[in-house]
Amino acid sequence: MSPAQACKKILDESGLAFDQDLVKRFVQCVGRIPIGTCVELSNGRIGFVITLNSGLMPKVIRQVYLAKQKSGITPQDIDLGSTAGDVKIKKIIDAQVINIKMEDYLFV
């Protein structure tokens, strides 16, 4: 299960399987799109959330894959807060579908 899927599952179970106050605090610590989440960007690249900003939103994304071409690329970090220009997160995706793993790109 991806970090984003796990976070969603915990949020869905808030008040049922998990204490609502603890879930709220947990989300305040990890953000709604946690580190490790695989995302597609508006520039057509796919990558992993590497860091969050002070508002717990994704800041640095390690781009590793081209969505249209369905091929890997040399990993490149993009800072959504400054150097990205108009690049935004388009959607959260399942990295398993395209057979990529974050751990393969941690030490590049």
Side-chain angles (χ1 to χ4, degrees):
M1 182 179 302
S2 75
Q5 289 170 321
C7 195
K8 183 181 180 330
K9 180 125 176 115
I10 290 169
L11 283 167
D12 290 347
E13 295 292 324
S14 176
L16 302 170
F18 303 110
D19 180 271
Q20 285 180 317
D21 291 331
L22 290 177
V23 169
K24 183 178 177 182
R25 289 181 189 187
F26 173 76
V27 172
Q28 288 173 341
C29 291
V30 301
R32 289 194 175 267
I33 304 176
I35 291 173
T37 300
C38 187
V39 294
E40 183 175 342
L41 301 172
S42 59
N43 65 2
R45 294 181 177 195
I46 293 173
F48 294 97
V49 176
I50 300 297
T51 65
L52 303 175
N53 64 21
S54 60
L56 296 176
M57 293 302 294
K59 178 172 172 43
V60 175
I61 308 295
R62 180 151 300 150
Q63 303 169 103
V64 299
Y65 195 84
L66 297 173
K68 271 189 181 176
Q69 292 84 349
K70 297 182 180 178
S71 64
I73 59 171
T74 301
Q76 179 184 14
D77 291 351
I78 186 169
D79 185 336
L80 297 182
S82 62
T83 60
D86 292 340
V87 177
K88 307 274 186 248
I89 292 176
K90 190 174 170 182
K91 63 182 175 180
I92 295 171
I93 62 169
D94 185 351
Q96 293 177 348
V97 171
I98 54 177
N99 199 28
I100 59 173
K101 298 176 188 170
M102 183 179 174
E103 56 265 22
D104 293 340
Y105 302 100
L106 288 177
F107 305 105
V108 293

